[in-house]
Amino acid sequence: MDFSAANTALWSFLLQLGAIACVLLIANVLRRKLPLIRKTLMPTAVLAGFLLLILKMCGLNMVSAQTLEMITYHGIALGFIALSLRITAVDDNSEEKFVAAKSGALIVSCYTIQGICGLIISLGLAYTLLPGMFEAAGILLPMGYGQGPGQANNIGSIYESLGFIGGRSFGLSLAAAGFLSACVVGVIYLNILLRKGIFKRMSLEDEADFISISTFQDKGEIPIAESIDKLSIQMALVLLVYLFTYFVIRGLSTLSMGLGANISQTISTLLWGFNFIIGALLAMAVRVIFKTLRKSKLMTRQYQNNYLLSRISGFAFDLMIIAGIASIDIGVMAELWLPFLLMSVVGATVTLVYLKWLCKKVYPNYYYEGMLSMYGMLTGTISSGVLLLREIDPFYKTPAGNNLLTGSGTAIVFGAPMLVLIGIAPVSTGKTWLVLALLFIYTALLIGFLLKIKTKAVKGP
């Protein structure tokens, strides 16, 4: 085998990963050394993604479009699988299950609100200023803001194959705007709370005192290093679940062929596009199986390590964010700036107003922590939600941080109808209007559910 530079198949992918790593480290230095960037709370991965995008626009294309798309596509699946394998308090605590259900319904209701705003804008423009506008484009607003670059990339690609020229870049651009909304609006709101004396910033020394051995390891886990390193076990579990995900999607796609070519193609596209959801569900199933085996004493040790699984998901999400932003094609956005700007501003504003109203009812005992963390996640990702939360609750004394993770898990259940609507929306003009109407109905049901369980919680014994 030729190990020299002439063997591009051997070196190309690793060299491109090295380029991404280089830009990530430069972004980290810039964030640490430049107060202006640091005060924005912009995640390092977001800054690195914009740096790569700027370099690409200047003609220095260090990473191929195919590599960027591949990293974005697989990164979101690997990240969610790692998160879903984590052992959480929800598994054994009925109160936590109750809060997780509320958080999941809140998250999905915000998706539906964003979807309503997006569709109103895209349909409105299609009938007025932009007659050629892809009418279902508005559904990409909750994908970009609520879900982030990975899902915006997947759904945008699906819509692009259905006739939305520039759909993928449009979705990724909305995801990038969402990060800016999380950072800019979130920081402004934090500074307002700081001036009002609602919270005080903690020093790094104070935060370090909060760390203990339980941060890194639970009781009954496998040792850090035996015949195999603990990190290797975590990676093996994540990759094994992803392998199962591939075969499950492939099997379901094969079975759908009996429904006809057109229906089969649509189902297959959606299945491969939602690979991360199927992967997360399989990871949850594995977690339940392991828990059952431990209760029956057939398994004597806990193999998942929450700390390492969080690091794996963080690494996957960072790569996904960098690649997603860097893969935006500015050229195809030339005719989409008006809907992009409208959706970005309306999405940020409506999300903030909606969460300020509903979080007072859902999280009455920790309103600011719950609202800020949810706003950061529902315009950016979990990481931006945590960044905002750490400023106001650095010791995680409130359940707000845990709500982001457990709520994301239960949101998969509440969000199932949303997946169907996403598939229906681009079929025809009539279906797009139908989806808009159904989003109004589902939003009302979710809000009713949230207000109802809130009332029960207050009246309970």
Side-chain angles (χ1 to χ4, degrees), residues 80-320:
F80 270 98
I81 287 171
L83 280 180
S84 300
L85 283 170
R86 284 169 42 98
I87 305 294
T88 67
V90 172
D91 291 334
D92 300 303
N93 191 313
S94 59
E95 177 61 25
E96 287 293 331
K97 290 180 181 179
F98 173 78
V99 176
K102 290 199 299 183
S103 299
L106 175 64
I107 290 169
V108 175
S109 70
C110 198
Y111 293 166
T112 58
I113 289 288
Q114 291 170 344
I116 288 170
C117 293
L119 283 178
I120 289 175
I121 291 172
S122 60
L123 283 166
L125 290 174
Y127 284 96
T128 54
L129 301 176
L130 298 175
M133 179 76 187
F134 189 78
E135 295 172 349
I139 207 73
L140 288 174
L141 178 58
M143 296 300 100
Y145 269 47
Q147 290 283 319
Q151 190 65 340
N153 173 77
N154 291 356
I155 302 304
S157 298
I158 293 172
Y159 279 18
E160 197 165 294
S161 68
L162 297 174
F164 183 16
I165 299 174
R168 180 176 172 277
S169 289
F170 185 75
L172 287 170
S173 296
L174 284 173
F179 279 119
L180 292 178
S181 299
C183 297
V184 175
V185 177
V187 169
I188 291 174
Y189 200 84
L190 276 171
N191 285 321
I192 292 174
L193 296 181
L194 187 63
R195 291 193 189 98
K196 290 182 176 180
I198 293 176
F199 80 101
K200 294 181 180 180
R201 284 197 170 102
M202 297 291 179
S203 66
L204 293 174
E205 290 77 13
D206 291 334
E207 292 187 45
D209 291 339
F210 186 69
I211 298 174
S212 64
I213 189 64
S214 62
T215 305
F216 305 99
Q217 181 163 319
D218 292 335
K219 184 179 179 180
E221 281 190 20
I222 59 175
I224 293 177
E226 256 185 347
S227 58
I228 185 172
D229 192 88
K230 182 181 284 190
L231 177 59
S232 300
I233 291 291
Q234 312 310 306
M235 285 298 306
L237 290 174
V238 171
L239 293 174
L240 181 62
V241 171
Y242 202 28
L243 179 65
F244 289 158
T245 302
Y246 170 81
F247 286 118
V248 167
I249 296 176
R250 186 170 177 178
L252 292 174
S253 298
T254 302
L255 290 174
S256 70
M257 290 180 181
L259 302 175
N262 291 334
I263 297 178
S264 176
Q265 178 62 34
T266 301
I267 291 176
S268 179
T269 302
L270 287 172
L271 286 172
W272 290 110
F274 289 113
N275 66 323
F276 81 100
I277 291 182
I278 296 174
L281 290 173
L282 289 175
M284 291 177 186
V286 169
R287 191 179 70 196
V288 171
I289 292 171
F290 279 12
K291 178 183 175 181
T292 303
L293 291 175
R294 289 198 70 196
K295 281 188 173 180
S296 63
K297 306 301 182 182
L298 293 175
M299 181 184 291
T300 57
R301 290 177 172 177
Q302 177 180 307
Y303 282 85
Q304 303 105 299
N305 177 269
N306 284 353
Y307 177 78
L308 292 177
L309 286 171
S310 295
R311 302 288 67 76
I312 292 171
S313 67
F315 174 70
F317 286 147
D318 282 341
L319 282 181
M320 177 203 72

Side-chain angles (χ1 to χ4, degrees), residues 54-104:
I54 292 170
L55 290 173
K56 184 177 72 173
M57 293 171 61
C58 293
L60 186 57
N61 197 1
M62 298 186 294
V63 186
S64 70
Q66 182 180 6
T67 299
L68 291 173
E69 290 183 27
M70 180 176 67
I71 292 174
T72 306
Y73 178 75
H74 292 304
I76 186 173
L78 293 171
F80 270 98
I81 287 171
L83 280 180
S84 300
L85 283 170
R86 284 169 42 98
I87 305 294
T88 67
V90 172
D91 291 334
D92 300 303
N93 191 313
S94 59
E95 177 61 25
E96 287 293 331
K97 290 180 181 179
F98 173 78
V99 176
K102 290 199 299 183
S103 299

Side-chain angles (χ1 to χ4, degrees), residues 99-113 354-360 362-363 370-371 374-375 377-378 403 407 410-411 414 446-447 449-450 453:
V99 176
K102 290 199 299 183
S103 299
L106 175 64
I107 290 169
V108 175
S109 70
C110 198
Y111 293 166
T112 58
I113 289 288
Y354 178 72
L355 288 175
K356 285 185 69 176
W357 168 64
L358 202 52
C359 284
K360 286 181 180 179
V362 178
Y363 307 124
M371 189 274 291
M374 281 293 175
Y375 180 80
M377 184 177 74
L378 290 168
N403 290 346
T410 55
F414 287 104
L446 288 170
I447 293 175
F449 171 75
L450 284 167
I453 63 173

